[in-house]
Amino acid sequence: WTSGANITLPANGLYLASIACTFQNAGTNGGIRVAQIKRVSDGLNIVEANCTGTGGSSTDWFVPTATLPWLGTAGEQFYVNVKQTSGSTMTMFQTVVAFTLLART
């Protein structure tokens, strides 16, 4: 997956959908950081990882992760949404997304 591109499932099956996002702490203000995998067709949020920065050092990094089983269909598409719901400036280092096919249906 590359930034700006949709993720397209290649087959009908049971998938393990996972996301991990590396955020920098927001200096003295801390704050809540959220990374989501959303379905393109209706914006449904299927996986969400979040963390709350404690404030203090802006050299601290947080890596929220989440994994969820997903019964998907071939051609179904997803995108990543990364946001901040509180705190000051957000710095994101990387986001890793994976759909692992566990079984075909």
Side-chain angles (χ1 to χ4, degrees):
W1 174 75
T2 58
S3 179
N6 290 335
I7 302 159
T8 304
L9 298 184
N12 293 347
L14 178 61
Y15 288 85
L16 198 58
S18 63
I19 188 167
C21 191
T22 304
F23 295 104
Q24 185 178 23
N25 190 17
T28 58
N29 295 322
I32 298 172
R33 312 292 185 258
V34 181
Q36 304 165 318
I37 299 176
K38 293 181 148 311
R39 187 166 52 192
V40 170
S41 63
D42 59 4
L44 178 70
N45 182 24
I46 66 159
V47 178
E48 178 175 287
N50 60 65
C51 66
T52 301
T54 57
S57 173
S58 61
T59 59
D60 295 337
W61 292 85
F62 297 90
V63 187
T65 61
T67 302
L68 184 77
W70 181 259
L71 188 58
T73 58
E76 192 170 25
Q77 294 188 320
F78 302 89
Y79 65 95
V80 172
N81 184 48
V82 178
K83 63 183 180 177
Q84 164 179 302
T85 60
S86 70
S88 60
T89 306
M90 175 178 75
T91 301
M92 179 184 64
F93 175 67
Q94 73 176 1
T95 303
V96 178
V97 177
F99 280 85
T100 305
L101 181 60
L102 301 176
R104 290 184 182 263
T105 57

